[in-house]
Amino acid sequence: MKKNNAVIFKGGKSGIIVLLDEEASFEDISVVLRDKVRSASGFFSGSSTSLAFKGKELNEDEIVSLLKIIDEETDLSLTFVEDLTGPVVANISPEKTTAPKPATDTYFHKHSLRNGQTIIQNGSVVVLGDVNHGAEVVATGNVLIFGALRGMVHAGSGGDEDAFICAMDFQPTQIMRIASEKVQFPGEGWSDSTIDPGFAFIKDGSIHVKFIADNLEDK
């Protein structure tokens, strides 16, 4: 039986905080959230604010699912979304369509990403640090990493096959995705210990990886 207090809205200094009952199922949370935002749609109409989830721990798919509910039931314009239920950094703007959208916004993250941290961005992402094993970056645009790439990266997540991934030290150890294509790397130790700048892109329907050093040797 769903609990009406499974979702509680509170106003914060920087925006809206959505408190999620840690004991409630995600299905109940989804139903209650839809009921509450639908009944208060007039309050949210035309507003522009940031949003933070707090309480029950959410994964990436659950965050996106809740954001889609808010997007479907209100005219609320979200400028920033943060998940305070776990070690997640998120900058999300949900889309009602799966068609590729031009990536016009770029999010700059000025630190390295640790295991368990995630960035989700409608646009491109620039990480001024490392993306370590267990960290994740998902962007509808390009992903540029001014450090080591060892975690999971998905560029062109909205279907943009022109998106690319670039890193100053290209050593991915997990799945890499561009648009709907993906490639699985073998894990730790696939690359040597030297700093090896490289980039990945789609060509002829599959992901290709090129290293800057290889290009220099060809000249």
Side-chain angles (χ1 to χ4, degrees), residues 15-19 50-54 80-84:
I16 299 172
I17 298 174
V18 185
L19 300 177
S50 64
L51 188 75
F53 292 109
K54 191 173 184 180
F80 188 84
V81 177
E82 185 174 5
D83 176 23
L84 302 178

Side-chain angles (χ1 to χ4, degrees), residues 136-141 143 152-158 165 175-181:
E136 183 176 359
V137 178
V138 180
T140 59
V143 177
M152 201 288 282
V153 175
H154 187 178
S157 61
I165 299 167
I175 293 174
M176 175 184 293
R177 291 184 175 92
I178 300 178
S180 61
E181 302 299 324

Side-chain angles (χ1 to χ4, degrees), residues 103-126:
T104 57
D105 298 323
T106 300
Y107 173 63
F108 289 84
H109 186 72
K110 299 179 181 179
H111 306 281
S112 293
L113 286 178
R114 302 185 304 275
N115 180 16
Q117 289 188 309
T118 301
I119 293 175
I120 308 171
Q121 167 71 5
N122 181 22
S124 296
V125 172
V126 177

